[in-house]
Amino acid sequence: MVNFSYRVFTAVVEKKTFFHAAESLNVTPSAVSHSISQLENELGFPLFLRNHSGVELTNDGKTVLPVIQAILNTEEELYQVSASIKGLNSGRIRIGAFSSVCINWLPTIIRRFKNQYPQVEVTVFQGNFNQIADGVSNGSIDIGFSSLPVDDKLLVEPLIKDRIYCVAPSDFVPKDKMNVTNQDIGRRRFILQQIDYDRDTKKTLDQYNVTPNSLTYSIDDQSILSMVESGLGLGILPELALKKLSGNVHIYPFDKNFARTICLVTNKNLAQAPSTKRMLKEINSFLRSNYKNQFLG
């Protein structure tokens, strides 16, 4: 068994307080505090800065985090390989995904996976592209869904081309009745999500002389539709994001074909774990069946 202090350390990093870390580990807060103090004494430097709202990593703590996470991941891989040799369905999968993948893909993928491997624990973290890539890189996420480009230190598998569309109020009609062109855009406002999430849609607008002061930012895809419906501007969303959204809006293609490439990202040290390989196979099977004309695998 790997040093328990390592597990306590990563739990505190994730939960941001000793109290919540103790809850997740089913131990007392004093046991967490003692374990962290013991680890700090062994390493010879403080790992956390304490403040009124909880704790945050010191610079030295940030340096050792990926090393400790790698040790824990190696132990987890050992248990999974051992379980596979004994013919058991065990292990865990930690998936990171952005909102439209969480809504449209993961419920079916996870249900199908759990039907085959009911004892494998599956957890999902929803975040933006940068958060997901960081999680895969430091080993806190096993499989991530992201959009190209991605850090070349990770294993990257392109999945589908996801076309980008213009979302307009119900009274808006493009001049050619079919496609949104530069003439239609003019000085109109556009509503996007935060920049690190919406980099692909922002690149699309860069082709149409849209100035920065013509951009408004919203918190999620459904909010964009609601703002467009209220006449506050035009939206711009990928096809996958539009699948389960509702609103009195019209969807038009641009006169040029813009798309983001959705991809899978895995950590080179974790990709061979049995449960990870099984989940990757299930993801590919789902996409091959449901996106025959778009699937890049």
Side-chain angles (χ1 to χ4, degrees), residues 182 185-186 188 190 202 205-212 214-215:
N182 217 21
I185 290 174
R188 292 180 180 269
F190 273 85
K202 176 62 170 61
L205 291 187
D206 287 342
Q207 306 297 314
Y208 287 101
N209 302 320
V210 175
T211 60
S214 296
L215 302 178

Side-chain angles (χ1 to χ4, degrees), residues 94-98 123-127 132 141-146:
R94 298 160 300 176
I95 300 174
F98 50 96
T123 58
V124 177
F125 164 78
Q126 181 176 321
I132 292 164
I141 293 174
D142 299 303
I143 299 172
F145 289 86
S146 189

Side-chain angles (χ1 to χ4, degrees), residues 24-77:
S24 70
L25 295 167
N26 199 27
V27 298
T28 64
S30 61
V32 168
S33 180
H34 175 74
S35 182
I36 294 298
S37 295
Q38 185 179 39
L39 183 57
E40 290 177 327
N41 288 335
E42 289 176 2
L43 295 176
F45 48 79
L47 296 169
F48 294 101
L49 297 172
R50 281 72 166 174
N51 55 49
H52 66 281
S53 60
V55 297
E56 60 179 295
L57 281 169
T58 63
N59 288 333
D60 292 330
K62 292 176 183 177
T63 300
V64 301
L65 172 60
V67 179
I68 290 176
Q69 187 66 62
I71 293 171
L72 294 174
N73 288 335
T74 299
E75 182 188 43
E76 174 66 23
E77 184 179 3

Side-chain angles (χ1 to χ4, degrees), residues 193-212:
Q193 281 206 42
Q194 64 266 30
I195 292 175
D196 60 345
Y197 176 89
D198 243 4
R199 61 193 182 200
D200 300 289
T201 50
K202 176 62 170 61
K203 284 180 182 177
T204 299
L205 291 187
D206 287 342
Q207 306 297 314
Y208 287 101
N209 302 320
V210 175
T211 60

Side-chain angles (χ1 to χ4, degrees), residues 219-240:
I219 58 172
D220 57 37
D221 299 333
Q222 185 61 62
S223 297
I224 290 176
L225 256 71
S226 296
M227 293 172 74
V228 170
E229 188 176 17
S230 298
L232 299 178
L234 299 178
I236 177 168
L237 287 169
E239 183 176 2
L240 186 63

Side-chain angles (χ1 to χ4, degrees), residues 132-189:
I132 292 164
D134 288 345
V136 174
S137 182
N138 68 36
S140 61
I141 293 174
D142 299 303
I143 299 172
F145 289 86
S146 189
S147 174
L148 293 181
V150 177
D151 189 334
D152 59 9
K153 294 178 182 178
L154 301 175
L155 296 177
V156 181
E157 178 187 352
L159 295 176
I160 69 166
K161 288 282 190 181
D162 190 22
R163 190 169 182 182
I164 293 171
Y165 289 88
C166 181
V167 184
S170 58
D171 60 354
F172 174 90
V173 180
K175 293 187 184 302
D176 72 356
K177 313 296 184 186
M178 295 178 60
N179 302 293
V180 172
T181 68
N182 217 21
Q183 283 185 305
D184 298 303
I185 290 174
R187 295 183 179 180
R188 292 180 180 269
R189 299 192 65 81

